[in-house]
Amino acid sequence: MTRRLLSVGLACCLLALLPAPASRADELPLRKAGLWEIKVVRVGSLLPQMTMQHCTDETTDKEMSTLFAPMSKEVCSRRDTRKTETGYVSDSVCSVGGLSLASHSDITGDFNSAFTVKSTSHAEYGSGGAPHDNVVTFEAKWLGDCKPDQKPGDVVMPGGFKINVKDAQKLKSLLPK
């Protein structure tokens, strides 16, 4: 059950971070090509901090937004991103597998060397589940070129587990209905 909730939560967080479909006013810039380290820090959570690496290029960043756009349209009733004086703000309301998630993200940084996403969310789990508020911070920094054994889209998780985001479409079937 914990793994399922973690999977759904991570999927929703990723959806919240991705550029929204054309209905939004502003677009997030593409990240600089290369290897990015992304540290996920959860405030007030029993889940540990997690650090992963993502090899990307311009094509992969663009593909990620178009790959997840149909899923985002299916599960999110609201997706707004707007430019601010200090970066961007994104608000979303999504529902998947009996989980309703409203999130607000403040995004700062330059997408060439480092950026931070601070996301606050309120989750409600259908019948019987208590509402839950969560704060997650994603701290991303550019490390340089991707490693020789990596290709754009590769994400290396803690423990060395590697998946390519281009294969994420295949994982859609794992999300609860």
Side-chain angles (χ1 to χ4, degrees):
M1 180 66 163
T2 302
R3 174 173 265 162
R4 179 179 172 192
L5 290 175
L6 180 59
S7 298
V8 170
L10 184 56
C12 289
C13 287
L14 289 173
L15 283 171
L17 291 174
L18 292 173
S23 63
R24 68 162 182 227
D26 294 306
E27 283 191 29
L28 295 175
L30 295 175
R31 292 177 293 164
K32 181 176 182 176
L35 186 60
W36 286 84
E37 178 181 83
I38 304 167
K39 185 187 307 183
V40 182
V41 180
R42 296 171 192 88
V43 176
S45 173
L46 298 176
L47 298 172
Q49 175 177 302
M50 176 176 64
T51 301
M52 63 187 112
Q53 292 186 344
H54 184 206
C55 173
T56 192
D57 62 6
E58 183 177 344
T59 302
T60 303
D61 260 11
K62 284 180 183 177
E63 285 177 358
M64 283 178 61
S65 68
T66 58
L67 173 68
F68 287 103
M71 187 188 317
S72 175
K73 286 179 186 176
E74 291 172 18
V75 300
C76 299
S77 62
R78 177 178 178 217
R79 301 262 320 161
D80 298 317
T81 301
R82 60 195 173 284
K83 182 123 177 67
T84 66
E85 288 182 21
T86 58
Y88 295 84
V89 170
S90 178
D91 292 292
S92 64
V93 177
C94 303
S95 182
V96 62
L99 169 70
S100 295
L101 182 72
S103 67
H104 173 84
S105 299
D106 292 302
I107 306 159
T108 56
D110 64 10
F111 294 86
N112 285 312
S113 61
F115 65 91
T116 301
V117 179
K118 183 176 181 182
S119 181
T120 58
S121 63
H122 177 76
E124 295 193 15
Y125 307 91
S127 62
H132 178 73
D133 292 321
N134 198 22
V135 177
V136 178
T137 301
F138 297 85
E139 299 170 352
K141 72 177 177 182
W142 188 76
L143 299 178
D145 292 334
C146 295
K147 295 177 181 174
D149 65 334
Q150 294 176 326
K151 63 182 185 266
D154 282 350
V155 177
V156 180
M157 304 294 284
F161 174 75
K162 181 165 74 169
I163 187 167
N164 193 289
V165 295
K166 294 178 182 182
D167 296 329
Q169 185 69 23
K170 298 172 191 171
L171 298 176
K172 235 174 97 169
S173 63
L174 299 176
L175 287 174
K177 305 288 180 208

